[in-house]
Amino acid sequence: MADTAGETAAQRSGGGESTFTVIVAALANLGIALAKAVAGVISGSSAMLSEAAHSVADTVTEVLLLTALKRSERPADEDHPLGYGPERYIWALLAAVATFVGGAVFSLYDGVHTLLSGEELGDPLASYVVLAVAFLLEGFSLRTGLRQARGEAARLRVPFRRYFRRTADTAVKAVVMEDSAALAGLLLAAGGLLGGQLTGSGVWDGVASLCIGALLLYVAWVLGRSNVELLIGRPLPRATRERIRAELLAVEHIEAVLELTTLVQGPREALVAAKVDFRDVSSAAQIEWACEQAEQRLREALPVVSRVYLDPTPGFAQRRSEGLNPWP
């Protein structure tokens, strides 16, 4: 019963916002990675080299997220009748793996190596300059991601924290989390440099690298879990499901919603399937009209609903299949 062709203006607008947010983050991280690597070599700081690896991992992550956004926007076709929306979560999961392998593992290794072998500290001035510039660039990227996330939360009329925790737009979630981790990592790297400069010991730098690695591990775990959950299949929130049920019951000729299944397919795309008990005296034409009206009501009330499938099911048949008395 659903129209699978095309996207709404809101979907296109949201996709463009996410793409812009990811591109800003990618450009910022690429420049920062090069600057950190040069500063790390000059200063001999393992924390700076860890931060360079962090930025490289973030750059790879943004490239994977851009791939996810572009490939998931393809329209449905004969081979993929439900569209390509879930493909974004595959690429986003790979981005989380890149954060783990490219950033966390290197940082942890470099921190352990520094603690065991020590390091010769060079001139930290270049590192301080790079850290300051990187902080400004990462802050701008984070501001862009937060502005989009807050705008979406306001549009949906939900608290920001709840939206951020449950959003299906994992691209924006990844940018916000990675930029937040980047800012924290910059402060840790600066602390390691300052501690080494004041004490002459490389232990501070090694500890800073370990902390950066632990931070990246946490980010990779949260993003990986979010994408796996969406790949497995996550329903719409309970309150939204109850509203869908109420909208269906408000349609003339529908007596009961026997079974309701919802599936999130993208940030602004969800599937609704329901077994519906129609009035026994309803004609075929009335049932067809009721199905069309139900779909229209759901689309108007909840723009996120992109596909609606209704299965006319007698109430007594449903009860009998569940082992209950078909004639209550």
mmCIF file of all heavy atoms in Angstrom, residues 275-320:
data_model
loop_
_atom_site.group_PDB
_atom_site.id
_atom_site.type_symbol
_atom_site.label_atom_id
_atom_site.label_comp_id
_atom_site.label_asym_id
_atom_site.label_seq_id
_atom_site.Cartn_x
_atom_site.Cartn_y
_atom_site.Cartn_z
ATOM 1 N N LYS A 275 -1.564 -6.187 11.013
ATOM 2 C CA LYS A 275 -2.712 -7.056 10.775
ATOM 3 C C LYS A 275 -3.926 -6.356 11.358
ATOM 4 O O LYS A 275 -3.955 -6.052 12.559
ATOM 5 C CB LYS A 275 -2.505 -8.417 11.423
ATOM 6 C CG LYS A 275 -1.471 -9.287 10.708
ATOM 7 C CD LYS A 275 -1.446 -10.692 11.267
ATOM 8 C CE LYS A 275 -0.501 -11.580 10.456
ATOM 9 N NZ LYS A 275 -0.532 -12.984 10.928
ATOM 10 N N VAL A 276 -4.911 -6.094 10.507
ATOM 11 C CA VAL A 276 -6.048 -5.267 10.896
ATOM 12 C C VAL A 276 -7.348 -6.056 10.734
ATOM 13 O O VAL A 276 -7.557 -6.739 9.721
ATOM 14 C CB VAL A 276 -6.100 -3.995 10.031
ATOM 15 C CG1 VAL A 276 -7.305 -3.149 10.397
ATOM 16 C CG2 VAL A 276 -4.814 -3.186 10.217
ATOM 17 N N ASP A 277 -8.203 -5.946 11.748
ATOM 18 C CA ASP A 277 -9.527 -6.574 11.700
ATOM 19 C C ASP A 277 -10.538 -5.524 11.241
ATOM 20 O O ASP A 277 -10.768 -4.536 11.927
ATOM 21 C CB ASP A 277 -9.904 -7.109 13.085
ATOM 22 C CG ASP A 277 -11.252 -7.821 13.073
ATOM 23 O OD1 ASP A 277 -11.708 -8.203 11.976
ATOM 24 O OD2 ASP A 277 -11.832 -7.995 14.158
ATOM 25 N N PHE A 278 -11.120 -5.737 10.040
ATOM 26 C CA PHE A 278 -12.130 -4.835 9.517
ATOM 27 C C PHE A 278 -13.522 -5.319 9.922
ATOM 28 O O PHE A 278 -13.712 -6.489 10.275
ATOM 29 C CB PHE A 278 -12.036 -4.761 7.991
ATOM 30 C CG PHE A 278 -10.800 -4.064 7.498
ATOM 31 C CD1 PHE A 278 -9.627 -4.779 7.253
ATOM 32 C CD2 PHE A 278 -10.796 -2.699 7.281
ATOM 33 C CE1 PHE A 278 -8.488 -4.142 6.795
ATOM 34 C CE2 PHE A 278 -9.656 -2.050 6.824
ATOM 35 C CZ PHE A 278 -8.499 -2.776 6.584
ATOM 36 N N ARG A 279 -14.477 -4.422 9.855
ATOM 37 C CA ARG A 279 -15.855 -4.792 10.166
ATOM 38 C C ARG A 279 -16.309 -5.904 9.221
ATOM 39 O O ARG A 279 -16.039 -5.865 8.019
ATOM 40 C CB ARG A 279 -16.774 -3.580 10.003
ATOM 41 C CG ARG A 279 -16.569 -2.490 11.033
ATOM 42 C CD ARG A 279 -17.365 -1.251 10.676
ATOM 43 N NE ARG A 279 -18.765 -1.587 10.433
ATOM 44 C CZ ARG A 279 -19.629 -0.775 9.827
ATOM 45 N NH1 ARG A 279 -19.215 0.405 9.380
ATOM 46 N NH2 ARG A 279 -20.881 -1.137 9.663
ATOM 47 N N ASP A 280 -17.003 -6.869 9.756
ATOM 48 C CA ASP A 280 -17.428 -8.010 8.944
ATOM 49 C C ASP A 280 -18.391 -7.597 7.837
ATOM 50 O O ASP A 280 -18.464 -8.258 6.795
ATOM 51 C CB ASP A 280 -18.093 -9.067 9.839
ATOM 52 C CG ASP A 280 -17.101 -9.707 10.802
ATOM 53 O OD1 ASP A 280 -15.885 -9.639 10.513
ATOM 54 O OD2 ASP A 280 -17.531 -10.242 11.842
ATOM 55 N N VAL A 281 -19.129 -6.520 8.050
ATOM 56 C CA VAL A 281 -20.120 -6.103 7.057
ATOM 57 C C VAL A 281 -19.522 -5.171 6.001
ATOM 58 O O VAL A 281 -20.223 -4.755 5.076
ATOM 59 C CB VAL A 281 -21.311 -5.403 7.753
ATOM 60 C CG1 VAL A 281 -22.040 -6.361 8.667
ATOM 61 C CG2 VAL A 281 -20.836 -4.166 8.509
ATOM 62 N N SER A 282 -18.232 -4.836 6.127
ATOM 63 C CA SER A 282 -17.610 -3.923 5.166
ATOM 64 C C SER A 282 -17.440 -4.610 3.823
ATOM 65 O O SER A 282 -17.067 -5.791 3.742
ATOM 66 C CB SER A 282 -16.246 -3.456 5.675
ATOM 67 O OG SER A 282 -16.374 -2.763 6.897
ATOM 68 N N SER A 283 -17.687 -3.863 2.768
ATOM 69 C CA SER A 283 -17.493 -4.399 1.417
ATOM 70 C C SER A 283 -16.027 -4.293 1.029
ATOM 71 O O SER A 283 -15.230 -3.612 1.698
ATOM 72 C CB SER A 283 -18.353 -3.613 0.427
ATOM 73 O OG SER A 283 -17.900 -2.262 0.354
ATOM 74 N N ALA A 284 -15.682 -4.944 -0.082
ATOM 75 C CA ALA A 284 -14.302 -4.886 -0.562
ATOM 76 C C ALA A 284 -13.908 -3.449 -0.875
ATOM 77 O O ALA A 284 -12.788 -3.008 -0.581
ATOM 78 C CB ALA A 284 -14.138 -5.772 -1.793
ATOM 79 N N ALA A 285 -14.825 -2.699 -1.473
ATOM 80 C CA ALA A 285 -14.536 -1.307 -1.812
ATOM 81 C C ALA A 285 -14.320 -0.474 -0.549
ATOM 82 O O ALA A 285 -13.432 0.396 -0.502
ATOM 83 C CB ALA A 285 -15.678 -0.720 -2.637
ATOM 84 N N GLN A 286 -15.074 -0.720 0.484
ATOM 85 C CA GLN A 286 -14.917 0.020 1.737
ATOM 86 C C GLN A 286 -13.591 -0.312 2.412
ATOM 87 O O GLN A 286 -12.946 0.568 2.998
ATOM 88 C CB GLN A 286 -16.097 -0.295 2.670
ATOM 89 C CG GLN A 286 -17.403 0.338 2.231
ATOM 90 C CD GLN A 286 -18.581 -0.126 3.055
ATOM 91 O OE1 GLN A 286 -18.627 -1.282 3.509
ATOM 92 N NE2 GLN A 286 -19.556 0.759 3.255
ATOM 93 N N ILE A 287 -13.189 -1.575 2.332
ATOM 94 C CA ILE A 287 -11.902 -1.966 2.914
ATOM 95 C C ILE A 287 -10.756 -1.294 2.161
ATOM 96 O O ILE A 287 -9.795 -0.799 2.766
ATOM 97 C CB ILE A 287 -11.755 -3.496 2.897
ATOM 98 C CG1 ILE A 287 -12.741 -4.120 3.890
ATOM 99 C CG2 ILE A 287 -10.317 -3.909 3.226
ATOM 100 C CD1 ILE A 287 -12.751 -5.628 3.877
ATOM 101 N N GLU A 288 -10.856 -1.258 0.823
ATOM 102 C CA GLU A 288 -9.819 -0.594 0.032
ATOM 103 C C GLU A 288 -9.736 0.891 0.404
ATOM 104 O O GLU A 288 -8.647 1.450 0.578
ATOM 105 C CB GLU A 288 -10.127 -0.748 -1.452
ATOM 106 C CG GLU A 288 -9.944 -2.165 -1.975
ATOM 107 C CD GLU A 288 -10.354 -2.280 -3.428
ATOM 108 O OE1 GLU A 288 -10.944 -1.310 -3.966
ATOM 109 O OE2 GLU A 288 -10.095 -3.337 -4.030
ATOM 110 N N TRP A 289 -10.908 1.529 0.519
ATOM 111 C CA TRP A 289 -10.939 2.944 0.879
ATOM 112 C C TRP A 289 -10.355 3.163 2.271
ATOM 113 O O TRP A 289 -9.608 4.112 2.506
ATOM 114 C CB TRP A 289 -12.391 3.430 0.835
ATOM 115 C CG TRP A 289 -12.541 4.850 1.288
ATOM 116 C CD1 TRP A 289 -12.393 5.970 0.542
ATOM 117 C CD2 TRP A 289 -12.864 5.292 2.610
ATOM 118 N NE1 TRP A 289 -12.597 7.101 1.307
ATOM 119 C CE2 TRP A 289 -12.898 6.713 2.591
ATOM 120 C CE3 TRP A 289 -13.149 4.636 3.806
ATOM 121 C CZ2 TRP A 289 -13.185 7.472 3.718
ATOM 122 C CZ3 TRP A 289 -13.431 5.394 4.930
ATOM 123 C CH2 TRP A 289 -13.447 6.800 4.885
ATOM 124 N N ALA A 290 -10.680 2.263 3.195
ATOM 125 C CA ALA A 290 -10.173 2.388 4.563
ATOM 126 C C ALA A 290 -8.646 2.253 4.585
ATOM 127 O O ALA A 290 -7.959 2.964 5.336
ATOM 128 C CB ALA A 290 -10.808 1.330 5.464
ATOM 129 N N CYS A 291 -8.109 1.362 3.783
ATOM 130 C CA CYS A 291 -6.640 1.190 3.729
ATOM 131 C C CYS A 291 -5.968 2.463 3.213
ATOM 132 O O CYS A 291 -4.947 2.905 3.754
ATOM 133 C CB CYS A 291 -6.288 0.008 2.836
ATOM 134 S SG CYS A 291 -6.678 -1.609 3.545
ATOM 135 N N GLU A 292 -6.547 3.062 2.172
ATOM 136 C CA GLU A 292 -5.981 4.296 1.638
ATOM 137 C C GLU A 292 -6.064 5.425 2.655
ATOM 138 O O GLU A 292 -5.134 6.216 2.822
ATOM 139 C CB GLU A 292 -6.714 4.687 0.349
ATOM 140 C CG GLU A 292 -6.432 3.775 -0.832
ATOM 141 C CD GLU A 292 -4.958 3.746 -1.187
ATOM 142 O OE1 GLU A 292 -4.325 4.819 -1.193
ATOM 143 O OE2 GLU A 292 -4.435 2.644 -1.439
ATOM 144 N N GLN A 293 -7.193 5.503 3.345
ATOM 145 C CA GLN A 293 -7.356 6.554 4.356
ATOM 146 C C GLN A 293 -6.378 6.347 5.513
ATOM 147 O O GLN A 293 -5.803 7.313 6.037
ATOM 148 C CB GLN A 293 -8.789 6.571 4.869
ATOM 149 C CG GLN A 293 -9.068 7.761 5.796
ATOM 150 C CD GLN A 293 -10.452 7.725 6.383
ATOM 151 O OE1 GLN A 293 -10.991 6.648 6.636
ATOM 152 N NE2 GLN A 293 -11.037 8.898 6.616
ATOM 153 N N ALA A 294 -6.187 5.089 5.907
ATOM 154 C CA ALA A 294 -5.255 4.802 7.000
ATOM 155 C C ALA A 294 -3.839 5.220 6.634
ATOM 156 O O ALA A 294 -3.121 5.840 7.446
ATOM 157 C CB ALA A 294 -5.299 3.313 7.332
ATOM 158 N N GLU A 295 -3.429 4.919 5.412
ATOM 159 C CA GLU A 295 -2.086 5.304 4.980
ATOM 160 C C GLU A 295 -1.938 6.823 4.946
ATOM 161 O O GLU A 295 -0.916 7.376 5.379
ATOM 162 C CB GLU A 295 -1.793 4.715 3.599
ATOM 163 C CG GLU A 295 -0.396 5.044 3.087
ATOM 164 C CD GLU A 295 -0.083 4.350 1.782
ATOM 165 O OE1 GLU A 295 -0.812 3.416 1.413
ATOM 166 O OE2 GLU A 295 0.907 4.745 1.145
ATOM 167 N N GLN A 296 -2.962 7.508 4.446
ATOM 168 C CA GLN A 296 -2.912 8.962 4.384
ATOM 169 C C GLN A 296 -2.829 9.574 5.778
ATOM 170 O O GLN A 296 -2.060 10.513 6.018
ATOM 171 C CB GLN A 296 -4.151 9.484 3.648
ATOM 172 C CG GLN A 296 -4.148 11.000 3.468
ATOM 173 C CD GLN A 296 -5.363 11.478 2.699
ATOM 174 O OE1 GLN A 296 -6.175 10.684 2.237
ATOM 175 N NE2 GLN A 296 -5.494 12.785 2.577
ATOM 176 N N ARG A 297 -3.602 9.036 6.723
ATOM 177 C CA ARG A 297 -3.571 9.557 8.092
ATOM 178 C C ARG A 297 -2.189 9.372 8.708
ATOM 179 O O ARG A 297 -1.669 10.271 9.385
ATOM 180 C CB ARG A 297 -4.619 8.849 8.941
ATOM 181 C CG ARG A 297 -6.057 9.229 8.651
ATOM 182 C CD ARG A 297 -6.993 8.483 9.594
ATOM 183 N NE ARG A 297 -6.794 8.917 10.980
ATOM 184 C CZ ARG A 297 -7.560 9.803 11.605
ATOM 185 N NH1 ARG A 297 -8.589 10.351 10.959
ATOM 186 N NH2 ARG A 297 -7.331 10.138 12.857
ATOM 187 N N LEU A 298 -1.596 8.205 8.500
ATOM 188 C CA LEU A 298 -0.286 7.939 9.087
ATOM 189 C C LEU A 298 0.782 8.855 8.493
ATOM 190 O O LEU A 298 1.640 9.373 9.212
ATOM 191 C CB LEU A 298 0.093 6.474 8.867
ATOM 192 C CG LEU A 298 -0.682 5.445 9.686
ATOM 193 C CD1 LEU A 298 -0.208 4.030 9.352
ATOM 194 C CD2 LEU A 298 -0.532 5.697 11.179
ATOM 195 N N ARG A 299 0.736 9.067 7.192
ATOM 196 C CA ARG A 299 1.737 9.918 6.551
ATOM 197 C C ARG A 299 1.607 11.369 7.008
ATOM 198 O O ARG A 299 2.604 12.069 7.171
ATOM 199 C CB ARG A 299 1.608 9.833 5.035
ATOM 200 C CG ARG A 299 2.086 8.519 4.441
ATOM 201 C CD ARG A 299 1.902 8.522 2.933
ATOM 202 N NE ARG A 299 2.326 7.283 2.332
ATOM 203 C CZ ARG A 299 3.581 7.019 1.952
ATOM 204 N NH1 ARG A 299 4.518 7.916 2.153
ATOM 205 N NH2 ARG A 299 3.886 5.872 1.398
ATOM 206 N N GLU A 300 0.372 11.823 7.196
ATOM 207 C CA GLU A 300 0.156 13.202 7.640
ATOM 208 C C GLU A 300 0.550 13.381 9.107
ATOM 209 O O GLU A 300 1.147 14.391 9.476
ATOM 210 C CB GLU A 300 -1.307 13.588 7.435
ATOM 211 C CG GLU A 300 -1.701 13.746 5.966
ATOM 212 C CD GLU A 300 -3.182 14.055 5.802
ATOM 213 O OE1 GLU A 300 -3.897 14.044 6.831
ATOM 214 O OE2 GLU A 300 -3.608 14.304 4.664
ATOM 215 N N ALA A 301 0.230 12.395 9.925
ATOM 216 C CA ALA A 301 0.531 12.502 11.356
ATOM 217 C C ALA A 301 2.006 12.252 11.640
ATOM 218 O O ALA A 301 2.589 12.887 12.530
ATOM 219 C CB ALA A 301 -0.321 11.519 12.149
ATOM 220 N N LEU A 302 2.620 11.347 10.874
ATOM 221 C CA LEU A 302 4.012 10.956 11.114
ATOM 222 C C LEU A 302 4.760 10.922 9.780
ATOM 223 O O LEU A 302 4.790 9.885 9.103
ATOM 224 C CB LEU A 302 4.073 9.583 11.794
ATOM 225 C CG LEU A 302 3.381 9.478 13.152
ATOM 226 C CD1 LEU A 302 3.186 8.023 13.524
ATOM 227 C CD2 LEU A 302 4.190 10.194 14.214
ATOM 228 N N PRO A 303 5.381 12.031 9.373
ATOM 229 C CA PRO A 303 6.092 12.069 8.086
ATOM 230 C C PRO A 303 7.202 11.036 7.970
ATOM 231 O O PRO A 303 7.613 10.700 6.860
ATOM 232 C CB PRO A 303 6.667 13.500 8.056
ATOM 233 C CG PRO A 303 5.772 14.287 8.946
ATOM 234 C CD PRO A 303 5.367 13.341 10.039
ATOM 235 N N VAL A 304 7.684 10.518 9.096
ATOM 236 C CA VAL A 304 8.748 9.520 9.049
ATOM 237 C C VAL A 304 8.262 8.209 8.432
ATOM 238 O O VAL A 304 9.064 7.419 7.922
ATOM 239 C CB VAL A 304 9.305 9.263 10.468
ATOM 240 C CG1 VAL A 304 8.293 8.504 11.316
ATOM 241 C CG2 VAL A 304 10.622 8.501 10.416
ATOM 242 N N VAL A 305 6.962 7.972 8.452
ATOM 243 C CA VAL A 305 6.406 6.729 7.892
ATOM 244 C C VAL A 305 6.439 6.814 6.372
ATOM 245 O O VAL A 305 5.754 7.643 5.769
ATOM 246 C CB VAL A 305 4.965 6.495 8.389
ATOM 247 C CG1 VAL A 305 4.358 5.274 7.698
ATOM 248 C CG2 VAL A 305 4.953 6.304 9.896
ATOM 249 N N SER A 306 7.238 5.982 5.748
ATOM 250 C CA SER A 306 7.394 6.010 4.292
ATOM 251 C C SER A 306 6.695 4.845 3.604
ATOM 252 O O SER A 306 6.377 4.919 2.420
ATOM 253 C CB SER A 306 8.881 5.998 3.923
ATOM 254 O OG SER A 306 9.527 4.870 4.500
ATOM 255 N N ARG A 307 6.464 3.753 4.329
ATOM 256 C CA ARG A 307 5.818 2.584 3.742
ATOM 257 C C ARG A 307 4.797 2.033 4.724
ATOM 258 O O ARG A 307 5.089 1.883 5.914
ATOM 259 C CB ARG A 307 6.843 1.502 3.394
ATOM 260 C CG ARG A 307 7.832 1.923 2.306
ATOM 261 C CD ARG A 307 8.883 0.858 2.076
ATOM 262 N NE ARG A 307 9.776 1.244 1.006
ATOM 263 C CZ ARG A 307 10.860 2.002 1.161
ATOM 264 N NH1 ARG A 307 11.175 2.444 2.368
ATOM 265 N NH2 ARG A 307 11.617 2.320 0.138
ATOM 266 N N VAL A 308 3.602 1.727 4.216
ATOM 267 C CA VAL A 308 2.527 1.196 5.049
ATOM 268 C C VAL A 308 1.962 -0.048 4.373
ATOM 269 O O VAL A 308 1.582 -0.003 3.196
ATOM 270 C CB VAL A 308 1.402 2.234 5.243
ATOM 271 C CG1 VAL A 308 0.294 1.648 6.126
ATOM 272 C CG2 VAL A 308 1.958 3.513 5.869
ATOM 273 N N TYR A 309 1.918 -1.142 5.113
ATOM 274 C CA TYR A 309 1.344 -2.393 4.607
ATOM 275 C C TYR A 309 0.301 -2.877 5.611
ATOM 276 O O TYR A 309 0.621 -3.100 6.778
ATOM 277 C CB TYR A 309 2.424 -3.460 4.429
ATOM 278 C CG TYR A 309 3.509 -3.060 3.459
ATOM 279 C CD1 TYR A 309 4.722 -2.530 3.915
ATOM 280 C CD2 TYR A 309 3.324 -3.189 2.084
ATOM 281 C CE1 TYR A 309 5.713 -2.154 3.032
ATOM 282 C CE2 TYR A 309 4.319 -2.824 1.191
ATOM 283 C CZ TYR A 309 5.502 -2.303 1.669
ATOM 284 O OH TYR A 309 6.489 -1.917 0.792
ATOM 285 N N LEU A 310 -0.937 -3.023 5.144
ATOM 286 C CA LEU A 310 -2.023 -3.478 5.999
ATOM 287 C C LEU A 310 -2.513 -4.833 5.515
ATOM 288 O O LEU A 310 -2.766 -5.017 4.314
ATOM 289 C CB LEU A 310 -3.173 -2.470 5.999
ATOM 290 C CG LEU A 310 -2.826 -1.059 6.491
ATOM 291 C CD1 LEU A 310 -4.060 -0.164 6.449
ATOM 292 C CD2 LEU A 310 -2.235 -1.095 7.889
ATOM 293 N N ASP A 311 -2.646 -5.767 6.445
ATOM 294 C CA ASP A 311 -3.088 -7.120 6.145
ATOM 295 C C ASP A 311 -4.453 -7.351 6.786
ATOM 296 O O ASP A 311 -4.544 -7.495 8.012
ATOM 297 C CB ASP A 311 -2.070 -8.130 6.691
ATOM 298 C CG ASP A 311 -2.493 -9.570 6.452
ATOM 299 O OD1 ASP A 311 -3.413 -9.799 5.643
ATOM 300 O OD2 ASP A 311 -1.898 -10.470 7.080
ATOM 301 N N PRO A 312 -5.552 -7.372 5.982
ATOM 302 C CA PRO A 312 -6.874 -7.647 6.546
ATOM 303 C C PRO A 312 -6.912 -9.047 7.156
ATOM 304 O O PRO A 312 -6.670 -10.041 6.465
ATOM 305 C CB PRO A 312 -7.817 -7.535 5.337
ATOM 306 C CG PRO A 312 -7.049 -6.723 4.337
ATOM 307 C CD PRO A 312 -5.615 -7.095 4.542
ATOM 308 N N THR A 313 -7.159 -9.111 8.442
ATOM 309 C CA THR A 313 -7.132 -10.383 9.167
ATOM 310 C C THR A 313 -8.354 -10.483 10.072
ATOM 311 O O THR A 313 -8.565 -9.601 10.913
ATOM 312 C CB THR A 313 -5.855 -10.493 10.031
ATOM 313 O OG1 THR A 313 -4.713 -10.288 9.201
ATOM 314 C CG2 THR A 313 -5.771 -11.859 10.694
ATOM 315 N N PRO A 314 -9.173 -11.544 9.921
ATOM 316 C CA PRO A 314 -10.314 -11.694 10.835
ATOM 317 C C PRO A 314 -9.846 -11.837 12.273
ATOM 318 O O PRO A 314 -8.865 -12.535 12.555
ATOM 319 C CB PRO A 314 -10.996 -12.972 10.337
ATOM 320 C CG PRO A 314 -10.485 -13.173 8.949
ATOM 321 C CD PRO A 314 -9.102 -12.608 8.927
ATOM 322 N N GLY A 315 -10.536 -11.183 13.183
ATOM 323 C CA GLY A 315 -10.141 -11.255 14.584
ATOM 324 C C GLY A 315 -10.198 -12.653 15.139
ATOM 325 O O GLY A 315 -9.313 -13.081 15.879
ATOM 326 N N PHE A 316 -11.201 -13.427 14.746
ATOM 327 C CA PHE A 316 -11.306 -14.786 15.296
ATOM 328 C C PHE A 316 -10.185 -15.674 14.769
ATOM 329 O O PHE A 316 -9.684 -16.552 15.462
ATOM 330 C CB PHE A 316 -12.680 -15.400 14.973
ATOM 331 C CG PHE A 316 -12.852 -15.811 13.540
ATOM 332 C CD1 PHE A 316 -12.469 -17.073 13.111
ATOM 333 C CD2 PHE A 316 -13.405 -14.941 12.609
ATOM 334 C CE1 PHE A 316 -12.635 -17.455 11.784
ATOM 335 C CE2 PHE A 316 -13.571 -15.322 11.291
ATOM 336 C CZ PHE A 316 -13.187 -16.580 10.870
ATOM 337 N N ALA A 317 -9.737 -15.443 13.517
ATOM 338 C CA ALA A 317 -8.641 -16.245 12.968
ATOM 339 C C ALA A 317 -7.337 -15.960 13.716
ATOM 340 O O ALA A 317 -6.544 -16.858 13.989
ATOM 341 C CB ALA A 317 -8.475 -15.943 11.475
ATOM 342 N N GLN A 318 -7.133 -14.672 14.057
ATOM 343 C CA GLN A 318 -5.929 -14.306 14.805
ATOM 344 C C GLN A 318 -5.935 -14.955 16.186
ATOM 345 O O GLN A 318 -4.928 -15.485 16.646
ATOM 346 C CB GLN A 318 -5.847 -12.778 14.935
ATOM 347 C CG GLN A 318 -4.688 -12.260 15.760
ATOM 348 C CD GLN A 318 -3.360 -12.400 15.045
ATOM 349 O OE1 GLN A 318 -3.319 -12.777 13.887
ATOM 350 N NE2 GLN A 318 -2.278 -12.123 15.761
ATOM 351 N N ARG A 319 -7.076 -14.925 16.856
ATOM 352 C CA ARG A 319 -7.164 -15.513 18.188
ATOM 353 C C ARG A 319 -6.954 -17.016 18.135
ATOM 354 O O ARG A 319 -6.309 -17.605 18.995
ATOM 355 C CB ARG A 319 -8.525 -15.185 18.811
ATOM 356 C CG ARG A 319 -8.704 -13.726 19.157
ATOM 357 C CD ARG A 319 -10.100 -13.461 19.709
ATOM 358 N NE ARG A 319 -10.304 -14.207 20.955
ATOM 359 C CZ ARG A 319 -9.905 -13.797 22.148
ATOM 360 N NH1 ARG A 319 -9.247 -12.670 22.264
ATOM 361 N NH2 ARG A 319 -10.146 -14.521 23.239
ATOM 362 N N ARG A 320 -7.489 -17.655 17.114
ATOM 363 C CA ARG A 320 -7.334 -19.102 16.989
ATOM 364 C C ARG A 320 -5.869 -19.469 16.749
ATOM 365 O O ARG A 320 -5.358 -20.451 17.280
ATOM 366 C CB ARG A 320 -8.204 -19.614 15.847
ATOM 367 C CG ARG A 320 -8.187 -21.140 15.707
ATOM 368 C CD ARG A 320 -9.268 -21.588 14.735
ATOM 369 N NE ARG A 320 -9.099 -20.892 13.445
ATOM 370 C CZ ARG A 320 -10.058 -20.852 12.506
ATOM 371 N NH1 ARG A 320 -11.221 -21.424 12.726
ATOM 372 N NH2 ARG A 320 -9.837 -20.227 11.366
#
